[in-house]
Amino acid sequence: MAYSQPFPLAQPIQKVQQPTFGPDLAVRLICPECRDPNPNIVEEFSSGDLVCGTCGLVLGDRIVDTRSEWRTFANDEGDDPSRVGAASDPLMEGMEQLDTTISFRDGGSGIARELQRAASRSAASRSERNLLQAFRDISSWCDQFSLPKTISDIAKQLYKRSDEEKLLRGKPLDAVIAACIFIACRQAHVPRTFREICNLTHVSKKVLGQCYKALEQAFNLTPGASQDRHLNAPSGTTGAEDLLVRYCNHLDLPPNVQPICADIIVKARELGIADGRSPVSIAGGAIYFTCCLLDKPKTVREISTVAGVSEGTIKLVYRLYYAEKEKLVKEEWIRDGKAKLERLPVESGSK
């Protein structure tokens, strides 16, 4: 993220700056005997002394060896820079990241179970256990949705910030996680619709909308991918052209269909055609219009299955586009032979 602190509050709380102390880098160590402006100071870690390499005067003793401290007892020759535990996770800052695993082998006495129970109670507080459980759920749902690790990390950062500020106290955990994943997708410019998030997490659209609005107002979030690239799109909504790549990929359409379909959507938005329709409906209707225009036949049912909207909605958007087809289709497409207006069916039924 571009912030020094991920997802800062829209109205940050004023905190008193504590004075910080550090070494004075302007102080330079020189040998009192040689008084050379460029001293040759040698650290002898074997004896723990700080020695002048020119005259041999001992300048300090009991210095700390800051080199790597590990040793290898492996059978293979060479260094073995292995350490205990995984790399530190910045999302778990301030929490204990080292785990202790207790063996189950106790000879049937039941002591292992009691030790495991005691370790689980003392290892982390209730809030830390809830945070770890939320992180596991976010990773699991992102894997089910085939989302990259970047989106998973953004969602975890947002959830941790909302948990620290107690922004969604009383809301279901699944709804909070779903809202964080939805915002993370928008921030990473791979938006998903409310319906897709609801189908994945089984959270109602109403509760998801409430959590999303609360997070958006608290952190003053940008409207996602649509703000930077589509200035004419309504604020806070996902542009229909953002959905074309996935839909065209799922429909196995040629690469030239998606850019032409995007141009048609942008032109229709400028002319005010199909205003008020959801981005999913516009994307479905535009794909059907483009497929007919370029002679790449796809039925309304196929597009409806991929886009998740009814066939009637796709036909309605198509009729609106068909009524203004001369304005939406560029002359260069017709001259190059890519598109022909005669291919567009008068009726919006499936081919």
Side-chain angles (χ1 to χ4, degrees), residues 78-203:
D79 295 334
D80 181 24
S82 59
R83 306 302 296 260
V84 177
S88 60
D89 188 355
L91 294 173
M92 307 291 294
E93 185 178 359
M95 300 171 54
E96 181 62 43
Q97 301 185 35
L98 297 179
D99 296 332
T100 300
T101 304
I102 299 175
S103 174
F104 285 97
R105 299 178 181 178
D106 57 357
S109 62
I111 299 177
R113 184 180 298 274
E114 296 296 331
L115 289 175
Q116 289 175 351
R117 189 175 302 162
S120 64
R121 287 199 215 99
S122 60
S125 62
R126 181 182 180 87
S127 60
E128 292 181 357
R129 288 196 297 269
N130 293 340
L131 186 63
L132 293 175
Q133 180 61 38
F135 283 179
R136 284 192 289 268
D137 292 342
I138 291 174
S139 300
S140 175
W141 282 347
C142 288
D143 290 341
Q144 294 179 33
F145 223 164
S146 300
L147 295 174
K149 188 176 182 298
T150 306
I151 296 179
S152 175
D153 291 341
I154 295 176
K156 291 176 182 178
Q157 288 177 346
L158 182 57
Y159 179 85
K160 184 177 181 180
R161 291 286 293 125
S162 64
D163 183 66
E164 291 173 351
E165 303 295 339
K166 307 298 181 182
L167 298 175
L168 297 174
R169 182 178 298 176
K171 296 293 183 182
L173 178 62
D174 293 349
V176 178
I177 294 176
C180 293
I181 294 177
F182 178 78
I183 294 175
C185 292
R186 305 265 303 270
Q187 295 288 324
H189 302 300
V190 284
R192 296 297 187 267
T193 62
F194 260 41
R195 180 175 300 176
E196 290 173 313
I197 298 295
C198 292
N199 292 337
L200 171 70
T201 59
H202 304 290
V203 175

Side-chain angles (χ1 to χ4, degrees), residues 220-267:
N220 195 21
L221 298 174
T222 58
S226 60
Q227 182 178 10
D228 298 330
R229 296 181 293 171
H230 320 304
L231 298 179
N232 295 328
S235 176
T237 61
T238 299
E241 43 282 49
D242 298 318
L243 307 173
L244 290 179
V245 177
R246 286 192 296 123
Y247 291 172
C248 292
N249 185 29
H250 293 166
L251 290 168
D252 197 19
L253 291 172
N256 65 325
V257 174
Q258 188 264 331
I260 294 178
C261 188
D263 290 342
I264 291 175
I265 291 176
V266 173
K267 185 64 176 178

